[in-house]
Structure formats: C-alpha cells, structure tokens
Amino acid sequence: MSSRPVGYHTRRALVLLAVLCGAAALAACSAGPAPAPRPSGFAPADVAAVDAAAGAALTDGATGAIVAVSDPRRGTLLKAYGTADTGGEPLTPDASYRIASVTKTFTADAVLRLVDQRRVALADPVAKYVPDLPNGDRITVRDLLAMRSGVYDFADDQAFFARYTADPAYPGWTPADALAIMRAHAAEFTAPDRQTVYCNSNYVLLGYVIEKATGEPADRALDGVARRLELRGTFYPSGTTLPAPFVHGYLGDGTPPAPGIAEQPHRDVTVSNPAVAGTAGAIVSTVPDMARYAAALGTGAGLSPAMWQQRQTWSPLSTSGVRLEYGLGITRVGDWIGHDGSIFGYSNMVFYLPSERAAVVVMSNVADEIAVPSQNLFGEVVKRLYPGSLTTWP
C-alpha cells in the first residue's frame, strides 16, 4: 500500500524520472537480439557495479537491501547486503518482507481470472458489488483496475494517517473502515474514466468485488494466485508479525536529513496490521519468489491471451522523460513491466523486461509510504545491466 498525499502522484513521477534518468534523458532502446539459450554469467565489472549501488543504498535508515537479477543469457544474481536490523542480525536473500503495493498485481490477477471465467465483467458497475458508494453506478471494474475511478484515496484521510503512523499495528481495523472513509469524502470523488490517478481505494474495492463474486474472503483468492504460481514464500498474512527469517522495516524516506539537522533514530515498524493495506498492499513474500513472479507477471501467466492483451491497456502517469504508464493492475516503466510498492518499513521494485526475458527485483528496508527508496537502487542496476531500457516519451 502507499499512503500518498494529494499531489504525490506528480511528485512520484518527477522523483522516478530523476532517479532513473539521472541528469540526461535516456535514448530509446531497441529489442536487440534474442537471448542466448545458455547463461554466460555476469561480468565481474557488472557485479561490482551492482554491489556498489547496493552498498550506497544502505544509508539514511536502511540497514539492508536485496537484489535479484534473473537473465537467460547471464544466469541468476541473488545477493543480500547489510543486515536484517540495526542490531547486526545477518540478512539472508530469502528474508520475508512486506511487498506493499505489488499486492495490487495479485488482486488484479484474481479479478481478471474471474473475468476470464465470466463471473465478473470489466464493464460491471461497482454498485453491483459495493452499495452506497458515490458514483457507484458509473464506476466500472475496469476503472478500478486501471486507477481511473475518481474514488477518494482513504489513505489520504488525515485522521486515519495520524493514527496509523502512531501505531502501525492499528488494532481493530477492517476494510469496512476504509469504505467508511471513502463515503465520508464523497465530495472529493471525481468523474470516472477521466484521468489515471494512483489510488489505494481502488484495490480495497476490488477486494469486495472478489468476495461478492466468489462468496469467499479475498485473502483466499490472493493466496490462490500465489499457490498456482508455486510461490511458496508468498502469502496474505493473518497477523502482525513476519515469519523467520525476516528483515526489519524502518520508518523513513531513504533520504538524508537537511544540512545542519541531526538524523534521528529510525523507528522499527516491522509489526504492522496487514488489514490496513488489505488487498491494496498486505502480501508478504521474499525476493526469490518475487523474481520468479516478475516473469509470470510480465508475460500474463495464467490469463487467457485476450485478457493478457486487455491487461496491457496502458494510460500515462507521466508525459515527459521516462515512460510511466498504468495498465490493469500493472505498471510499465520504460520497457519494464511490473509494479513498485512502498509501505511503512519496506519498499521494492518487481519488474520484467520482455525483450531480454529478464527480471530485476530489489528490496530496501526503509520507507515511509510516500517515497519508494528502492527505485534508486533499481535504476542503478537497470542502467548498468540493461542500458537504454528506460525508454522515454518522444
């Protein structure tokens, strides 16, 4: 999940452009030759560059980072850097962490499978599944998936955010609380299918769609996606803790304090109520699982060919610099397909490059739900290993 204040989406695009592009715009890349059938290994200089980038990411609250690269030409690179906590606990590559908004891709997958089964239609109005929602007779399931519903983001509610920040364990929270916040902000809804605006409420509402269509809790459907893809370390948690081994998460934005201001100790926010993020961001996983998942996500595994094409109906999140686009529960950054995620204590990037059949996943254990610190590390890895893949708008 991401709690993003009003105007964040523009800032997020600008930050991502700066991180991924650097000072100069990147030239568009060509697909290039098909990957060789046998891995040839990673060049020592490339590994050293990845190591240096990961080491540089261990600042400003982050104690650990994990990088995975899966490439049919080079093989697999999987490394943990730093420690699992401020006490020096060793960090292992298989450590559990919260994948945050990457959860949205699982929710979208579950809904799109229901569409393939004709149990849900993309044109269905949300009123069919959720009563008494502003514009509920006009907002469609497709609008929710595509971030084009105009719904108010419950995470922007100041009272909610203050309480969640004070205690991420937030006892007693249920999706009904998010729905109540949406209804209370009815005047702040906008007309559906007018613009693409990242909003957590869309994916909370899609949880209700899943439950109404299946008669079962939405978490079972998301766990079902993980099981079908044989992601054994990936699950929708029922409690506030993580299974061992895990990496602790720290509250911060991954940036140094202003000059002259002493850095404060970062708060450990590992213990967190998954119900708050819900179907917008609750899932726990590991980097190795996410590296496998990136390939499935980037190729439409489990969906009909027609549905996979529909999922890649892109609309822009930016208009200059690196191409940032949103599909149906999926993001395209340059030529990369996947999703990012940030929640208290954890940020990650899970992406697949179709032209190279390569996956890159990075995780950092500091985040504040606004910034996505792992973007910087992802950008450095991608620019080194796949130069030109962060294509720009014409």
Side-chain angles (χ1 to χ4, degrees):
M1 185 181 76
S2 297
S3 288
R4 297 171 166 106
V6 174
Y8 166 74
H9 310 294
T10 299
R11 295 202 304 277
R12 178 191 187 201
L14 292 175
V15 169
L16 185 58
L17 297 181
V19 166
L20 298 183
C21 282
L26 296 171
C29 73
S30 60
R38 292 178 178 272
S40 58
F42 290 84
D46 288 339
V47 175
V50 172
D51 290 346
L58 301 182
T59 58
D60 309 315
T63 69
I66 304 174
V67 175
V69 182
S70 178
D71 185 315
R73 289 190 298 113
R74 295 179 168 111
T76 298
L77 174 67
L78 175 63
K79 298 185 74 172
Y81 302 85
T83 61
D85 60 18
T86 55
E89 180 72 20
L91 176 61
T92 58
D94 62 343
S96 295
Y97 72 99
R98 303 185 191 280
I99 68 172
S101 285
V102 180
T103 299
K104 293 178 173 69
T105 65
F106 285 77
T107 300
D109 185 280
V111 171
L112 293 174
R113 288 170 187 265
L114 291 172
V115 175
D116 264 340
Q117 297 165 7
R118 301 181 183 274
R119 299 167 72 181
V120 171
L122 291 175
D124 281 346
V126 71
K128 180 176 178 179
Y129 305 96
V130 183
D132 303 322
L133 188 76
N135 296 335
D137 58 340
R138 299 168 57 200
I139 299 168
T140 67
V141 170
R142 179 190 289 276
D143 292 333
L144 296 178
L145 288 163
M147 300 289 189
R148 295 178 62 82
S149 69
V151 171
Y152 175 82
D153 194 334
F154 80 92
D156 285 342
D157 181 84
Q158 294 304 303
F160 156 77
F161 192 70
R163 183 175 172 187
Y164 184 45
T165 303
D167 181 11
Y170 209 135
W173 177 273
T174 71
D177 295 310
L179 191 55
I181 291 175
M182 294 178 220
R183 289 170 174 151
H185 288 269
E188 297 174 64
F189 279 51
T190 60
D193 202 25
R194 295 286 180 85
Q195 58 181 336
T196 304
V197 177
Y198 193 97
C199 173
N200 295 294
S201 292
N202 290 311
Y203 280 75
V204 172
L205 293 169
L206 286 169
Y208 279 98
V209 171
I210 293 169
E211 292 185 349
K212 185 69 178 292
T214 64
E216 295 184 342
D219 58 347
R220 293 185 188 175
L222 273 59
D223 278 340
V225 174
R227 286 195 301 272
R228 283 191 293 271
L229 296 174
E230 298 184 348
L231 304 175
R232 294 181 176 84
T234 303
F235 64 97
Y236 192 112
S238 58
T240 61
T241 58
L242 300 176
F246 65 89
V247 56
H248 286 245
Y250 296 95
L251 184 60
D253 63 4
T255 60
I261 298 177
E263 183 173 353
Q264 298 297 313
H266 289 74
R267 179 156 60 107
D268 189 325
V269 288
T270 306
V271 174
S272 181
N273 184 353
V276 175
T279 47
I283 287 180
V284 170
S285 188
T286 66
V287 168
D289 261 16
M290 287 295 96
R292 292 190 292 273
Y293 178 59
L297 180 62
T299 56
L303 299 176
S304 69
M307 187 55 61
W308 172 230
Q309 287 302 117
Q310 291 237 39
R311 190 168 196 180
Q312 298 177 86
T313 304
W314 307 108
S315 58
L317 287 167
S318 67
T319 56
S320 62
V322 174
R323 297 177 65 99
L324 299 177
E325 302 166 285
Y326 208 83
L328 301 185
I330 199 168
T331 308
R332 186 161 64 180
V333 178
D335 294 336
W336 294 83
I337 295 174
H339 213 286
D340 71 338
S342 188
I343 197 167
F344 279 4
Y346 303 94
S347 81
N348 63 152
M349 302 282 285
V350 178
F351 281 89
Y352 179 77
L353 184 61
S355 63
E356 296 290 334
R357 292 187 288 142
V360 172
V361 175
V362 301
M363 185 284 302
S364 169
N365 72 332
V366 63
D368 67 357
E369 292 197 278
I370 296 175
V372 186
S374 59
Q375 287 177 347
N376 186 44
L377 178 53
F378 174 80
E380 292 301 316
V381 171
V382 164
K383 285 188 289 184
R384 176 71 191 199
L385 298 180
Y386 305 98
S389 62
L390 296 171
T391 52
T392 60
W393 292 107

